[in-house]
Amino acid sequence: MMNQESMPIPRDFLCPITREVMQNPVVLIEDGHSYELFAIETWLRDHNSSPMTNQTLTDRRWIHNYNLKSAIEEYCSQQHAIASLNQFLAFNVCFGRIPSEWEDKPTLKIRISLLGGSNVGKSTIARYLQYGNKTNFIRLNTTTTVGHDLIFFYLDQLFENKYVIVVQLTDIPGMERYESCCDNHFRTCHGALLVADSTDIDTLERIELYWYKQLHLKGKDDVEPTLICNKSDLFQENCDDDYRRIFLANAEHFASLHSMAICYTSALRGDNIRAMFKQLILRILHSKTLLKQIKADDNVYDTASVHLSDRRSSSISSSQETNISKTSSTKCC
């Protein structure tokens, strides 16, 4: 889903008279060239010659060029799709309420899980995505996650010109005694951020031996994982050359072995956090299988919401009827 350049307009799609893309092309029978219908009709009112050859016409009839019209319509459709895609790729990830003008539009929910051990910086990553570079807030308010935290974002561009994209980010507790509560998040997430502390190589090993293995066994077949090597600021300042070389080699090998993206971040400074999050969202939306699942989940959610609403309405109606009946009985007495 990289930015795509517009295709050059084929010369045959341009009317020789108007020099614009034709919408209703016709072929002038005698000279064999195609023109925009209104343009050739206007020309023939004032001329008795071919616009292309300037030769006198003995036959002023024309016929519709349906093949050319179909080719032009396909080209315009492709151009519109490219323009829409390029506009969507400029999206920002926003935290807060969805704009009121989008309330009636269909919604697709992307579920992303933050996975990794304690003290690797998962919560700091989540807080940075929420509040940006307000580092004082992050430092004062980041604590060890005990239960999973849910944070919701939305994209400020419509997907496919109609869908509101909501992103549910789940910060999973990293302590071992809470690992049993993570199974549901393995099963339901579309993407995962596997976070290791780049100053502690044991956290990378834990990603390999537990978190990725559980995600692979219990998660969706096409879940999109990203390896996050966090605390790159401390990695550069406090780790010696030998440690850095070993850590980088192990991280690159693990990511390459499982064909996953790798990103080096500093959650405290905000290095690469938003870019990493945006790229994961794009990879999820680019996956045909995941996108199909997300759309199916959205339809199930909408249907369930309608049924729940119907049941509530029915319950309210029954309650109202009961109250009316009681009131009537009381009046009769």
Side-chain angles (χ1 to χ4, degrees):
M1 295 183 71
M2 301 299 291
N3 281 57
Q4 299 185 27
E5 296 182 359
S6 297
M7 296 178 289
I9 302 174
R11 188 171 61 179
D12 291 343
F13 291 1
L14 300 175
C15 173
I17 300 174
T18 65
R19 306 306 302 169
E20 296 178 353
V21 176
M22 291 180 280
Q23 297 182 356
N24 195 6
V26 296
V27 178
L28 195 58
I29 293 176
E30 188 163 328
D31 73 358
H33 292 284
S34 293
Y35 306 91
E36 181 64 54
L37 175 57
F38 82 87
I40 192 62
E41 287 180 332
T42 302
W43 173 274
L44 293 176
R45 281 200 298 266
D46 302 324
H47 304 80
N48 192 33
S49 59
S50 164
M52 290 293 289
T53 65
N54 206 31
Q55 295 182 356
T56 302
L57 296 172
T58 59
D59 187 348
R60 298 159 60 91
R61 291 178 300 165
W62 48 261
I63 57 173
H64 288 283
N65 191 339
Y66 292 112
N67 289 336
L68 180 57
K69 181 178 176 65
S70 296
I72 291 174
E73 289 175 347
E74 181 179 356
Y75 166 83
C76 292
S77 176
Q78 291 173 348
Q79 291 297 91
H80 178 72
I82 291 173
S84 298
L85 175 59
N86 288 341
Q87 180 182 3
F88 175 75
L89 291 177
F91 72 78
N92 294 305
V93 180
C94 303
F95 174 67
R97 293 181 60 86
I98 296 173
S100 57
E101 60 267 25
W102 288 355
E103 289 180 353
D104 296 330
K105 294 188 178 296
T107 299
L108 300 181
K109 182 188 288 186
I110 296 174
R111 295 178 175 87
I112 297 176
S113 293
L114 271 168
L115 306 176
S118 299
N119 301 317
V120 296
K122 302 193 310 296
S123 296
T124 310
I125 290 173
R127 296 298 178 268
Y128 188 90
L129 288 168
Q130 279 182 281
Y131 303 108
N133 58 358
K134 298 176 182 177
T135 52
N136 289 333
F137 179 89
I138 293 172
R139 288 172 180 167
L140 291 173
N141 291 274
T142 299
T143 57
T144 301
T145 301
V146 177
H148 64 269
D149 289 338
L150 297 179
I151 306 170
F152 292 90
F153 304 90
Y154 71 91
L155 308 189
D156 66 351
Q157 299 283 346
L158 294 177
F159 180 62
E160 295 181 349
N161 283 329
K162 65 177 179 178
Y163 292 107
V164 177
I165 299 295
V166 172
V167 182
Q168 174 186 304
L169 180 65
T170 307
D171 183 5
I172 305 296
M175 291 179 286
E176 292 186 7
R177 64 178 179 271
Y178 295 113
E179 289 175 355
S180 60
C181 72
C182 300
D183 286 3
N184 182 58
H185 301 287
F186 289 129
R187 289 192 294 268
T188 59
C189 69
H190 306 108
L193 298 173
L194 299 160
V195 185
D197 178 351
S198 58
T199 66
D200 182 357
I201 201 167
D202 290 341
T203 62
L204 178 62
E205 182 178 356
R206 184 64 176 161
I207 290 291
E208 296 185 57
L209 297 180
Y210 177 75
W211 292 104
Y212 180 76
K213 184 175 292 186
Q214 292 298 309
L215 180 66
H216 181 69
L217 291 174
K218 301 174 182 178
K220 300 177 185 295
D221 292 337
D222 295 281
V223 64
E224 278 288 341
T226 297
L227 176 62
I228 305 298
C229 300
N230 194 32
K231 305 186 182 180
S232 60
D233 51 334
L234 300 179
F235 180 71
Q236 294 296 330
E237 295 173 5
N238 301 337
C239 300
D240 59 38
D241 291 343
D242 288 340
Y243 174 85
R244 289 201 296 266
R245 177 177 51 79
I246 293 171
F247 182 91
L248 292 174
N250 289 357
E252 296 286 348
H253 174 73
F254 172 67
S256 175
L257 182 64
H258 300 290
S259 302
M260 73 172 67
I262 183 171
C263 187
Y264 299 92
T265 65
S266 169
L268 198 59
R269 295 190 312 210
D271 297 353
N272 297 329
I273 298 296
R274 292 192 181 281
M276 165 274 298
F277 198 50
K278 182 174 179 176
Q279 287 299 317
L280 177 57
I281 292 170
L282 287 174
R283 289 199 301 276
I284 291 171
L285 291 174
H286 189 57
S287 167
K288 293 181 179 179
T289 303
L290 285 176
L291 184 57
K292 184 177 180 180
Q293 292 174 359
I294 292 169
K295 289 183 176 180
D297 291 342
D298 179 65
N299 289 334
V300 170
Y301 174 79
D302 287 345
T303 302
S305 298
V306 170
H307 290 167
L308 179 60
S309 177
D310 290 342
R311 287 198 297 271
R312 286 177 176 173
S313 299
S314 177
S315 176
I316 291 171
S317 298
S318 299
S319 176
Q320 289 175 340
E321 290 174 0
T322 302
N323 291 335
I324 292 171
S325 176
K326 289 181 178 178
T327 302
S328 300
S329 300
T330 302
K331 287 183 179 180
C332 290
C333 293

